[in-house]
Amino acid sequence: MPTSPAPSADPAPLVARFFESRGWSSFPFQQETRDAYAAGRSGLVHAPTGLGKTLAVWMGPIAEAISSGELKTEDNAKPEPIRAVWITPLRALASDTARALSEPIEELGLNWSVQMRTGDTSSSIKAAQRKRLPTVLVTTPESITLLLSYPDTVKQLKGVRTIIVDEWHELLSSKRGTQTELALARLRTLSPGVRTWGLSATLGNLEEAADALVGVRRAGTPEPALITGRHEKEIRIRTIIPKQVERFPWAGHLGLTLLDEVIETLEPARTTLLFTNTRSQAELWHNALRIAKPEWEADIAIHHGSIDRASRDEVERRLAEGSLRVVCCTSSLDLGVDFSPVEQVLQVGSPKGVARLMQRAGRSGHQPGAVSSVWCVPAHAFELVEFAAAREATDAREIESRIPLRKPLDVLVQHLVTVALGGGFDERTLLDEVRTTHAYRDLSDQEWSWCLDFVEKGGNALGAYPQYTRLRRADDGRLTASSKAIERTHRMGIGTITSDSAMLVKWSGRGGTLGTIEESFIGKLRPGDRFVFAGHLLEMVRVRQMTVEVKKGRGKKATTPRWQGGRSPLSSQLALAVRRKLDAFRQGDVTDPELEAIAPLLEQHRAQSVIPEPNELLIETTKTRDGHHAFLYPFEGRLVHEGLGSLLAYRITRDEPRSIVATVNDYGVELLAPDPLDFDEPHWRALLSPNNLLQDLLECVNSSELARRRFRDIARVAGLINPGFPGENRAVRHLQASSELFFDVFRDFDPENLLLDQARREVLDQQLEVSRLRGALERLELMRCTIVGIERFTPMSFPLYAERLRAQHVSTESWMDQVRRLSAGLEEAAG
């Protein structure tokens, strides 16, 4: 006999009581979000970290459930079917999120269950979820997409009333964001009327972000709400100032020299997160602190994405309970996790972006009304200027935009197979659905037909191979998976995250796992070599297939692993703020402690050259025994300067054959040639012209080879290659060989293949940043050009010279020794 539903209740007093029990009252933006949700609207909530965004968006569904009578009674022991899907970008956030969502559910007596489904969820729980999903599912873009590939869970997902995407800014400008857009469109089709909400803390282009989140509105759908937490959270940004700033600095020479000052900052705080920009730096700092403060060893931990999941879970547990003094970490702890005991944050090295510094600062004081505090530790003298600029930009809330991707067809191809596995689709109906996403809103009929042909027949080049005929047409015209083997292979490859092949690091004999290290690093080691990883000094014993066996090493000296993709370029907002700070110094404003500390360096530069104004391009020329140098300072960031350096070298050698070497950093470009580079202003302006940019850029870089490398990731996402079955990690060289074979086949036999076109577009848009480079050249056209001949390296040119020397040295130690000697010589010559 069916049980009677629980009686409905007025949610307002219950929700108010929940807040009052914690001594809280709702912020206006939280009430505004609940009202918008109750009105049936979707939307985006943008507020500082720690201000209560989670409760703002979560209490709307809670209040609706109370009104619907979904309270727990003696008669309805079985939880309600699925009502809400919460999508988080990181698996590490899932457990903390599930706890936060469960609190009001339990306290207010809702008959709801909360479960996680991520890559870390056990197979038994996943199997049970296939039969019945929880009321609230906390998951990731990859896991929700995987659920959409099963017909039984697709039927259950028709009951979803709410979808919430956490940290939307983190997904927005990536293929994972596009994958999320497609999953949201599918869920909106399965459950018409479902409301979609997103949370973000650090984002500049809010309206565009909201458009990407909610998609193209169908007729009759309420206009989405864009809600901002107007209560500004105080962020206190301070810098650890070196006792002495050398006038001729180079990248990375400070860093650990400030270890004593960092320890002084750590000592009075109960818990500190020490953020670094790379996993290598996290390992270095953890090892240095462990050696310098052996009495702290049990209270120091390390956390980054390559460390074993169980070890990271233990660190997060101890952080939450406040039993750790300091955790050296990377972006693995940037997002959403609420560790209230954290009192302060340290940022080692420039964050390279305003949003990143704000996000990391917000890990401390993670509650309404509390101050978020971050100490900045420079690794390079010029980073003192960056920290002062970041503080000014943070106070003005000049936050970077994240631009959604446009039509990545490899993601769409993968999605077509996913939907086919989930019960099949009618091609016209699915096309209409796909066009409701921001990413594919202008997808052409031709592009759609090509994608269908590619998954149904393998396109023009692969039709003879049955494994690439992934879909078949049923008698009613619907497209479904062509075989069980295709289903198994596709589900293993769902997702858009690609990286270098990772090798498992395990204790020899004991068998315990420490984490993963890229194959390219391990390939340089021999048995007996020592390296630092996961907070341990290790000695390599042997390598078997894709597993590295290690034992505890002895001594203090060891290599630190390096992972690909470690360098972040200076953002446009921060680059502009740096220019403003330099101009402030030029005009005599040294009120910032960072500018006061770096004043001797800048004065030395002014004595030898010019401190450029915001509308001025400085070009320095000189001659050394290495050849003739030209140093240009556009202040546009490393990635733009890489394209600019290649472009200038090409245009100079096209006019007059000669050898040119280009070196870049975030502030400028060095050109080195055997012949003089003392061009006049009209010549430099011609070299820097935005005219014929695309044609010249394609000529000056090996665009075909760059596209070939980019194609590996595209081929993986599109399902042409896969990393193998569980436990069968394929070496990256094998995946690369397979993708290169496809690249060559398409180039020779299917030159109109749209995945080839996508590879070329990604090289231009993401690797060479053509649009940003064009913008930089257009700005340079309007600037005054100042050409200065210098007798010896200036404080701005010397870091570029040192950067070029780094590439010529096999040993980091020998490079540092040579740069120190050169720096000392310049100091002596400068008096």
Side-chain angles (χ1 to χ4, degrees):
M1 185 174 178
T3 58
S4 59
S8 61
D10 180 4
L14 293 176
V15 170
R17 195 181 311 150
F18 175 81
F19 276 82
E20 288 168 4
S21 68
R22 286 157 171 74
W24 302 339
S25 59
S26 292
F27 286 120
F29 85 93
Q30 293 175 320
Q31 184 62 54
E32 186 182 352
T33 304
R34 293 202 293 273
D35 292 343
Y37 182 88
R41 299 172 70 185
S42 298
L44 177 68
V45 178
H46 184 266
T49 297
L51 204 61
K53 294 188 299 295
T54 299
L55 282 177
V57 78
W58 189 229
M59 297 311 286
I62 292 285
E64 181 181 58
I66 294 171
S67 297
S68 301
E70 296 181 3
L71 298 171
K72 192 177 295 184
T73 69
E74 294 179 1
D75 295 331
N76 60 346
K78 182 182 286 188
E80 296 288 336
I82 186 158
R83 294 285 185 259
V85 174
W86 187 290
I87 299 175
T88 176
L90 287 180
R91 288 182 290 181
L93 300 181
S95 57
D96 190 73
T97 299
R99 283 193 297 270
L101 302 185
S102 296
E103 282 186 13
I105 289 173
E106 294 169 1
E107 190 165 323
L108 298 175
L110 282 180
N111 190 32
W112 280 17
S113 59
V114 180
Q115 287 182 358
M116 296 178 292
R117 185 182 178 109
T118 70
D120 296 325
T121 304
S122 69
S123 56
S124 60
I125 292 177
K126 288 179 180 178
Q129 289 172 347
R130 289 272 309 282
K131 297 176 183 176
R132 182 180 173 87
L133 288 169
T135 317
V136 181
L137 182 69
V138 180
T139 187
T140 60
E142 293 74 25
S143 291
I144 189 62
T145 303
L146 184 60
L147 283 176
L148 290 171
S149 75
Y150 293 106
D152 44 4
T153 47
V154 166
K155 293 174 185 176
Q156 296 181 60
L157 288 167
K158 293 179 180 180
V160 174
R161 295 193 298 224
T162 310
I163 313 165
I164 298 168
V165 185
D166 203 356
E167 308 286 357
W168 176 229
H169 61 277
E170 189 67 20
L171 293 169
L172 185 59
S173 56
S174 67
K175 288 184 180 179
R176 295 184 79 209
T178 307
Q179 179 186 26
T180 305
E181 287 186 55
L182 288 167
L184 294 175
R186 180 98 283 253
L187 290 168
R188 284 191 282 262
T189 296
L190 294 173
S191 180
V194 67
R195 280 149 290 183
T196 307
W197 283 83
L199 305 179
S200 174
T202 48
L203 195 57
N205 52 328
L206 293 178
E207 291 186 3
E208 187 175 27
D211 288 343
L213 177 73
V214 303
V216 179
R217 283 192 294 140
R218 293 184 169 97
T221 305
E223 184 179 349
L226 182 54
I227 297 172
T228 302
R230 294 175 179 81
H231 177 83
E232 292 292 357
K233 184 176 179 65
E234 182 181 350
I235 300 177
R236 187 176 299 153
I237 300 173
R238 293 168 289 181
T239 302
I240 294 179
I241 306 293
K243 292 182 173 64
Q244 181 178 357
V245 176
E246 296 176 1
R247 290 178 290 179
F248 299 90
W250 69 94
H253 82 288
L254 282 175
L256 286 173
T257 62
L258 295 173
L259 180 62
D260 290 341
E261 289 86 343
V262 166
I263 289 173
E264 285 180 21
T265 308
L266 295 174
E267 282 188 311
R270 181 173 56 153
T271 302
T272 301
L273 293 181
L274 188 151
F275 277 106
T276 66
N277 292 336
T278 67
R279 286 166 283 186
S280 301
Q281 283 183 316
E283 295 282 356
L284 277 170
W285 275 88
H286 179 271
N287 194 49
L289 288 171
R290 184 178 58 82
I291 293 171
K293 299 290 288 185
E295 67 272 24
W296 288 4
E297 183 158 6
D299 301 323
I300 303 174
I302 185 168
H303 190 292
H304 60 68
S306 292
I307 293 175
D308 180 65
R309 175 74 262 173
S311 300
R312 281 181 283 155
D313 285 343
E314 175 64 12
V315 172
E316 291 169 25
R317 183 190 66 77
R318 293 188 63 193
L319 260 178
E321 68 183 23
S323 64
L324 285 171
R325 178 185 287 271
V326 58
V327 177
C328 301
C329 55
T330 62
S331 55
S332 60
L333 286 181
D334 262 7
L335 304 176
V337 184
D338 178 9
F339 299 120
S340 298
V342 175
E343 292 181 1
Q344 66 179 4
V345 166
L346 266 70
Q347 167 64 41
V348 176
S350 167
K352 299 301 178 185
V354 181
R356 175 180 278 191
L357 186 61
M358 290 177 65
Q359 188 78 32
R360 291 182 170 181
R363 296 302 102 215
S364 67
H366 198 278
Q367 52 192 337
V371 175
S372 293
S373 172
V374 57
W375 282 95
C376 300
V377 184
H380 183 295
F382 273 110
E383 288 183 346
L384 289 165
V385 182
E386 289 186 47
F387 290 140
R391 182 171 55 245
E392 180 184 271
T394 297
D395 291 343
R397 294 302 189 259
E398 296 173 351
I399 306 173
E400 293 84 4
S401 296
R402 307 225 182 171
I403 307 303
L405 298 188
R406 180 174 171 269
K407 290 194 294 190
L409 296 184
D410 53 343
V411 183
L412 180 56
V413 162
Q414 185 185 108
H415 183 69
L416 292 179
V417 182
T418 298
V419 178
L421 268 59
F425 63 87
D426 171 77
E427 60 180 271
R428 190 70 226 180
T429 303
L430 186 60
L431 173 59
D432 291 342
E433 175 186 306
V434 166
R435 282 177 173 164
T436 66
T437 65
H438 186 273
Y440 301 101
R441 63 195 184 283
D442 58 353
L443 183 74
S444 69
D445 288 343
Q446 181 183 3
E447 290 165 328
W448 173 255
S449 298
W450 183 89
C451 291
L452 280 178
D453 184 68
F454 188 72
V455 293
E456 188 180 358
K457 301 173 183 176
N460 294 337
L462 303 176
Y465 303 93
Q467 65 267 40
Y468 302 112
T469 304
R470 289 177 274 178
L471 304 189
R472 63 177 178 82
R473 285 184 187 269
D475 293 338
D476 61 359
R478 289 176 66 80
L479 287 154
T480 59
S482 59
S483 68
K484 292 292 183 184
I486 290 295
E487 292 184 17
R488 288 192 299 270
T489 303
H490 178 76
R491 287 189 177 113
M492 282 191 310
I494 281 177
T496 62
I497 300 174
T498 57
S499 62
D500 267 7
S501 186
M503 302 187 74
L504 198 63
V505 182
K506 298 179 69 173
W507 291 111
S508 180
R510 288 189 270 171
T513 302
L514 288 167
T516 58
I517 293 182
E518 288 178 5
E519 182 185 14
S520 55
F521 172 76
I522 293 298
K524 298 174 183 176
L525 300 183
R526 295 175 296 178
D529 284 353
R530 291 172 298 172
F531 63 97
V532 174
F533 178 64
H536 300 278
L537 176 61
L538 306 173
E539 180 181 320
M540 190 173 89
V541 177
R542 66 178 67 85
V543 175
R544 290 183 178 177
Q545 295 181 335
M546 297 298 289
T547 300
V548 186
E549 294 186 15
V550 297
K551 65 180 182 180
K552 282 205 168 188
R554 295 184 178 180
K556 293 186 178 180
K557 286 194 173 182
T559 307
T560 302
R562 292 194 176 273
W563 285 266
Q564 298 298 318
R567 287 182 174 177
S568 299
L570 197 68
S571 74
S572 298
Q573 277 79 359
L574 192 51
L576 181 62
V578 166
R579 269 190 171 275
R580 289 200 302 260
K581 280 298 171 190
L582 289 176
D583 190 54
F585 178 86
R586 188 185 63 80
Q587 297 184 56
D589 180 359
V590 290
T591 53
D592 291 300
E594 295 89 352
L595 290 184
E596 184 180 359
I598 204 174
L601 183 156
L602 295 177
E603 289 292 0
Q604 179 62 41
H605 185 86
R606 178 153 49 189
Q608 292 182 250
S609 179
V610 168
I611 296 176
E613 298 178 30
N615 64 341
E616 180 179 18
L617 171 65
L618 171 63
I619 302 174
E620 297 173 345
T621 60
T622 191
K623 180 181 183 301
T624 69
R625 62 184 181 184
D626 293 333
H628 295 266
H629 307 258
F631 298 96
L632 296 84
Y633 304 101
F635 290 90
E636 292 284 350
R638 179 181 295 274
L639 286 184
V640 171
H641 291 165
E642 284 178 356
L644 181 60
S646 299
L647 181 71
L648 289 171
Y650 167 73
R651 287 177 171 176
I652 292 171
T653 56
R654 180 185 59 188
D655 297 341
E656 181 183 348
R658 63 168 91 183
S659 173
I660 299 280
V661 177
T663 305
V664 306
N665 62 16
D666 275 318
Y667 310 125
V669 179
E670 179 205 36
L671 301 174
L672 174 64
D675 304 310
L677 294 169
D678 48 355
F679 307 132
D680 59 14
E681 181 176 340
H683 196 157
W684 278 116
R685 291 203 176 278
L687 292 172
L688 292 165
S689 170
N691 297 334
N692 300 316
L693 170 62
L694 188 59
Q695 179 181 340
D696 287 354
L697 203 57
L698 290 174
E699 289 288 337
C700 73
V701 300
N702 190 344
S703 58
S704 179
E705 184 58 34
L706 291 176
R708 182 190 297 273
R709 294 177 189 169
R710 176 70 63 169
F711 187 76
R712 187 190 96 196
D713 292 345
I714 292 173
R716 218 284 296 152
V717 173
L720 293 174
I721 57 177
N722 64 77
F725 292 94
E728 187 205 352
N729 264 327
R730 296 185 185 178
V732 67
R733 58 182 177 273
H734 296 151
L735 297 179
Q736 183 67 34
S738 299
S739 69
E740 288 182 357
L741 177 60
F742 280 113
F743 184 90
D744 292 338
V745 167
F746 292 154
R747 184 194 58 195
D748 296 338
F749 301 104
D750 187 12
E752 302 303 314
N753 190 295
L754 294 185
L755 295 183
L756 290 183
D757 181 61
Q758 181 182 330
R760 299 183 189 108
R761 279 192 292 111
E762 288 188 9
V763 166
L764 292 172
D765 295 342
Q766 298 173 32
Q767 198 159 346
L768 299 178
E769 291 206 339
V770 170
S771 59
R772 193 175 163 194
L773 176 56
R774 182 180 298 279
L777 292 174
E778 290 171 352
R779 284 189 291 276
L780 292 175
E781 262 193 320
L782 302 175
M783 289 185 181
R784 184 174 78 255
C785 185
T786 300
I787 304 170
V788 178
I790 54 176
E791 293 184 9
R792 56 185 179 272
F793 295 128
T794 62
M796 283 190 189
S797 61
F798 183 68
L800 278 163
Y801 177 74
E803 190 76 20
R804 180 170 53 79
L805 287 184
R806 185 200 299 266
Q808 300 172 359
H809 283 74
V810 176
S811 164
T812 301
E813 287 79 8
S814 62
W815 167 74
M816 291 185 72
D817 289 342
Q818 182 176 356
V819 173
R820 279 197 185 97
R821 287 197 302 273
L822 291 168
S823 177
L826 289 171
E827 289 279 358
E828 184 178 351

